[in-house]
Amino acid sequence: MCFSIEADVVAGVALLPVAALSLREVRRVREVPFAALPLLFALHQLTEALVWAGLDGHVSANVEQAAALVYVLFAFPVLPTLVPTAVLLLEPKGARLRVAPFVALGLVVSAQLMYFVLSGPLTVTERAHAVLYGVDLQHGMFWAVLYVVATVGPALLSGYPSIVAFGALNLVGLSLVALIYREAFASLWCVLAALLSVMVLLHMYRRRRLPDQHRLHGQPLEPVH
C-alpha cells in the first residue's frame, strides 16, 4: 500500500463514523477511554496528513513541525499509558490486578519516551512512501520491547474475547511492521492500529447487546449524562 497524505486523510475520515458509533455505545464513565480510541486514532491520522502536506510544501515548516510533534507525542508517550488504562477500566473490579502492572509499566515507558522526544531534535523525512520520525532514542530496542508489552499485553490478558482479538491483531501488526519496515515503525503501526480500532466498536457493540458474565461482576459507575 502506498502511504501518502491521501491515505492518511481517507483513514482519518473513515474512522470518524466508527468513532461516533463507538462513543454512542458508552453507558459508564469508565468505558470512555476505550471507546474514544477510534476518535483519537482518526485525529492522529489527520494530524499526519498535515505532516505530509508540509513535506509536499503545501503548509509552512512551522505547521509541519507542530503536527509532527503532536503525532509523535501521541504515538510514543501517550499510547503506552492510555491503552493499558483504557483496558483496565473496562475489566471487572476483581480482575483489574492482572492489568494494573501494565499501567505501571506504561507510565514508566511514557515518561522515558516523553523525555527522549522533548530533549532532542525531532526530524521528519519521507522515504519509500512512509514518514520517518527521527527521535534520539537511547537503547531504542529495549524501550521498543517495553512499549509493545505495555500496549499489547493488557488486551491479551483481558477477560473479553473481542479485546483479546484486538490485542492479538495489534501484536501481529507490530511484528510485521518491525520485520518489514522498522525505520517507519511509528508511522506504519499507527496506521494499522487506527484501522484495527474498528475492533473497539465491535467490543462496545457486543458489550451492550450480548450477555456478559464478566461485566456483571464489575462495579458499575454512574452513567454518562
PDB file of all heavy atoms in Angstrom, residues 130-142:
ATOM      1  N   ALA A 130       6.557   6.455   3.128  1.00  0.00           N
ATOM      2  CA  ALA A 130       6.265   6.474   4.560  1.00  0.00           C
ATOM      3  C   ALA A 130       6.985   7.661   5.178  1.00  0.00           C
ATOM      4  O   ALA A 130       7.970   8.172   4.630  1.00  0.00           O
ATOM      5  CB  ALA A 130       6.707   5.179   5.219  1.00  0.00           C
ATOM      6  N   VAL A 131       6.470   8.126   6.304  1.00  0.00           N
ATOM      7  CA  VAL A 131       7.106   9.212   7.040  1.00  0.00           C
ATOM      8  C   VAL A 131       8.003   8.613   8.114  1.00  0.00           C
ATOM      9  O   VAL A 131       7.571   7.744   8.871  1.00  0.00           O
ATOM     10  CB  VAL A 131       6.059  10.136   7.686  1.00  0.00           C
ATOM     11  CG1 VAL A 131       6.753  11.240   8.498  1.00  0.00           C
ATOM     12  CG2 VAL A 131       5.160  10.761   6.632  1.00  0.00           C
ATOM     13  N   LEU A 132       9.236   9.081   8.173  1.00  0.00           N
ATOM     14  CA  LEU A 132      10.183   8.633   9.179  1.00  0.00           C
ATOM     15  C   LEU A 132      10.345   9.745  10.210  1.00  0.00           C
ATOM     16  O   LEU A 132      10.702  10.872   9.865  1.00  0.00           O
ATOM     17  CB  LEU A 132      11.542   8.300   8.563  1.00  0.00           C
ATOM     18  CG  LEU A 132      11.727   6.901   7.959  1.00  0.00           C
ATOM     19  CD1 LEU A 132      10.748   6.662   6.814  1.00  0.00           C
ATOM     20  CD2 LEU A 132      13.155   6.706   7.476  1.00  0.00           C
ATOM     21  N   TYR A 133      10.052   9.425  11.462  1.00  0.00           N
ATOM     22  CA  TYR A 133      10.193  10.383  12.545  1.00  0.00           C
ATOM     23  C   TYR A 133      11.472  10.060  13.298  1.00  0.00           C
ATOM     24  O   TYR A 133      11.596   8.977  13.885  1.00  0.00           O
ATOM     25  CB  TYR A 133       8.993  10.316  13.490  1.00  0.00           C
ATOM     26  CG  TYR A 133       7.690  10.658  12.810  1.00  0.00           C
ATOM     27  CD1 TYR A 133       6.884   9.662  12.263  1.00  0.00           C
ATOM     28  CD2 TYR A 133       7.269  11.979  12.701  1.00  0.00           C
ATOM     29  CE1 TYR A 133       5.693   9.970  11.621  1.00  0.00           C
ATOM     30  CE2 TYR A 133       6.067  12.303  12.062  1.00  0.00           C
ATOM     31  CZ  TYR A 133       5.290  11.286  11.536  1.00  0.00           C
ATOM     32  OH  TYR A 133       4.113  11.600  10.896  1.00  0.00           O
ATOM     33  N   GLY A 134      12.404  10.994  13.273  1.00  0.00           N
ATOM     34  CA  GLY A 134      13.696  10.773  13.919  1.00  0.00           C
ATOM     35  C   GLY A 134      13.710  11.327  15.330  1.00  0.00           C
ATOM     36  O   GLY A 134      13.603  12.538  15.543  1.00  0.00           O
ATOM     37  N   VAL A 135      13.801  10.433  16.324  1.00  0.00           N
ATOM     38  CA  VAL A 135      13.901  10.808  17.737  1.00  0.00           C
ATOM     39  C   VAL A 135      15.152  10.148  18.297  1.00  0.00           C
ATOM     40  O   VAL A 135      15.433   8.982  18.007  1.00  0.00           O
ATOM     41  CB  VAL A 135      12.654  10.340  18.520  1.00  0.00           C
ATOM     42  CG1 VAL A 135      12.793  10.687  19.997  1.00  0.00           C
ATOM     43  CG2 VAL A 135      11.393  10.957  17.944  1.00  0.00           C
ATOM     44  N   ASP A 136      15.893  10.894  19.094  1.00  0.00           N
ATOM     45  CA  ASP A 136      17.148  10.363  19.648  1.00  0.00           C
ATOM     46  C   ASP A 136      16.841   9.428  20.812  1.00  0.00           C
ATOM     47  O   ASP A 136      16.874   9.811  21.986  1.00  0.00           O
ATOM     48  CB  ASP A 136      18.032  11.516  20.114  1.00  0.00           C
ATOM     49  CG  ASP A 136      19.405  11.025  20.557  1.00  0.00           C
ATOM     50  OD1 ASP A 136      19.770   9.892  20.193  1.00  0.00           O
ATOM     51  OD2 ASP A 136      20.099  11.776  21.271  1.00  0.00           O
ATOM     52  N   LEU A 137      16.503   8.176  20.469  1.00  0.00           N
ATOM     53  CA  LEU A 137      16.172   7.173  21.486  1.00  0.00           C
ATOM     54  C   LEU A 137      17.427   6.434  21.919  1.00  0.00           C
ATOM     55  O   LEU A 137      18.088   5.799  21.102  1.00  0.00           O
ATOM     56  CB  LEU A 137      15.158   6.166  20.937  1.00  0.00           C
ATOM     57  CG  LEU A 137      13.748   6.675  20.646  1.00  0.00           C
ATOM     58  CD1 LEU A 137      12.913   5.553  20.051  1.00  0.00           C
ATOM     59  CD2 LEU A 137      13.094   7.211  21.902  1.00  0.00           C
ATOM     60  N   GLN A 138      17.742   6.508  23.184  1.00  0.00           N
ATOM     61  CA  GLN A 138      18.856   5.729  23.722  1.00  0.00           C
ATOM     62  C   GLN A 138      18.339   4.353  24.135  1.00  0.00           C
ATOM     63  O   GLN A 138      17.286   4.245  24.762  1.00  0.00           O
ATOM     64  CB  GLN A 138      19.463   6.456  24.922  1.00  0.00           C
ATOM     65  CG  GLN A 138      19.996   7.835  24.586  1.00  0.00           C
ATOM     66  CD  GLN A 138      20.490   8.577  25.806  1.00  0.00           C
ATOM     67  OE1 GLN A 138      20.830   7.958  26.824  1.00  0.00           O
ATOM     68  NE2 GLN A 138      20.554   9.895  25.726  1.00  0.00           N
ATOM     69  N   HIS A 139      19.087   3.311  23.735  1.00  0.00           N
ATOM     70  CA  HIS A 139      18.651   1.931  23.996  1.00  0.00           C
ATOM     71  C   HIS A 139      17.265   1.708  23.387  1.00  0.00           C
ATOM     72  O   HIS A 139      16.345   1.190  24.034  1.00  0.00           O
ATOM     73  CB  HIS A 139      18.630   1.631  25.491  1.00  0.00           C
ATOM     74  CG  HIS A 139      19.888   1.995  26.211  1.00  0.00           C
ATOM     75  ND1 HIS A 139      21.080   1.329  25.991  1.00  0.00           N
ATOM     76  CD2 HIS A 139      20.137   2.971  27.127  1.00  0.00           C
ATOM     77  CE1 HIS A 139      22.018   1.867  26.768  1.00  0.00           C
ATOM     78  NE2 HIS A 139      21.486   2.854  27.450  1.00  0.00           N
ATOM     79  N   GLY A 140      17.128   2.118  22.129  1.00  0.00           N
ATOM     80  CA  GLY A 140      15.834   2.097  21.454  1.00  0.00           C
ATOM     81  C   GLY A 140      15.153   0.743  21.445  1.00  0.00           C
ATOM     82  O   GLY A 140      13.940   0.656  21.653  1.00  0.00           O
ATOM     83  N   MET A 141      15.899  -0.337  21.218  1.00  0.00           N
ATOM     84  CA  MET A 141      15.298  -1.661  21.153  1.00  0.00           C
ATOM     85  C   MET A 141      14.704  -2.063  22.509  1.00  0.00           C
ATOM     86  O   MET A 141      13.614  -2.647  22.576  1.00  0.00           O
ATOM     87  CB  MET A 141      16.327  -2.700  20.705  1.00  0.00           C
ATOM     88  CG  MET A 141      15.737  -4.100  20.531  1.00  0.00           C
ATOM     89  SD  MET A 141      14.366  -4.141  19.331  1.00  0.00           S
ATOM     90  CE  MET A 141      15.270  -3.756  17.820  1.00  0.00           C
ATOM     91  N   PHE A 142      15.402  -1.729  23.576  1.00  0.00           N
ATOM     92  CA  PHE A 142      14.916  -2.037  24.923  1.00  0.00           C
ATOM     93  C   PHE A 142      13.582  -1.358  25.185  1.00  0.00           C
ATOM     94  O   PHE A 142      12.616  -1.995  25.638  1.00  0.00           O
ATOM     95  CB  PHE A 142      15.954  -1.583  25.949  1.00  0.00           C
ATOM     96  CG  PHE A 142      15.483  -1.669  27.377  1.00  0.00           C
ATOM     97  CD1 PHE A 142      15.425  -2.889  28.028  1.00  0.00           C
ATOM     98  CD2 PHE A 142      15.111  -0.513  28.064  1.00  0.00           C
ATOM     99  CE1 PHE A 142      14.985  -2.966  29.355  1.00  0.00           C
ATOM    100  CE2 PHE A 142      14.678  -0.592  29.380  1.00  0.00           C
ATOM    101  CZ  PHE A 142      14.620  -1.817  30.023  1.00  0.00           C
TER     102      PHE A 142
END
